[in-house]
Amino acid sequence: MDELDTIIDNDDCCAMNKRRSHHSPEVKKNLTNRLNRIEGQIRGIKGLIEKDTYCDDVITQLSATQSALNSVGKILLEGHLKGCVVDRLSEGDDEVLDELLVTIQKLMKK
């Protein structure tokens, strides 16, 4: 099992020893498809650089790739809020709010 599988697996988001997400198989498939496309975009950008493609064209592709990554982040954040955060709050774990603020700050840096 790779790191991505661990991050977006479907069982017990907030178990004490292992936190895992609540993503349905459909959401996991959607995320995996998006990440596969992003992987292809990255390979394409590398190829553009190797071919000495005009800088503005490469920057346009970088922007599109960043937008695609942001979309994945939004999907993950939504699932985290609706699943993990709600569950942990209902269990009385208010530390999840501090964790969430740090996560949002990380996303906003980009």
Side-chain angles (χ1 to χ4, degrees), residues 5-106:
D5 290 334
T6 303
I7 292 170
I8 59 174
D9 200 65
N10 200 23
D11 302 317
D12 294 331
C13 158
C14 304
M16 289 301 226
N17 295 330
K18 255 192 230 185
R19 291 188 184 154
R20 300 176 77 147
S21 71
H22 289 86
H23 299 299
S24 69
E26 295 81 21
V27 170
K28 285 171 59 172
K29 182 175 173 118
N30 179 5
L31 289 169
T32 300
N33 288 339
R34 287 172 182 265
L35 290 168
N36 287 336
R37 282 194 301 273
I38 292 166
E39 186 177 18
Q41 286 177 294
I42 297 293
R43 282 192 304 272
I45 291 167
K46 182 180 175 189
L48 292 175
I49 291 170
E50 290 170 350
K51 294 175 188 171
D52 294 321
T53 301
Y54 185 60
C55 297
D56 190 59
D57 294 336
V58 177
I59 291 167
T60 298
Q61 291 305 310
L62 284 171
S63 177
T65 302
Q66 185 62 58
S67 179
L69 281 169
N70 288 342
S71 292
V72 170
K74 288 175 189 177
I75 292 167
L76 287 169
L77 183 59
E78 179 182 354
H80 184 56
L81 285 168
K82 290 180 176 179
C84 303
V85 173
V86 168
D87 287 352
R88 287 178 62 189
L89 284 173
S90 70
E91 293 169 359
D93 183 359
D94 292 338
E95 284 183 28
V96 71
L97 295 176
D98 292 329
E99 179 186 285
L100 179 60
L101 289 172
V102 170
T103 299
I104 290 172
Q105 289 172 351
K106 287 177 187 176

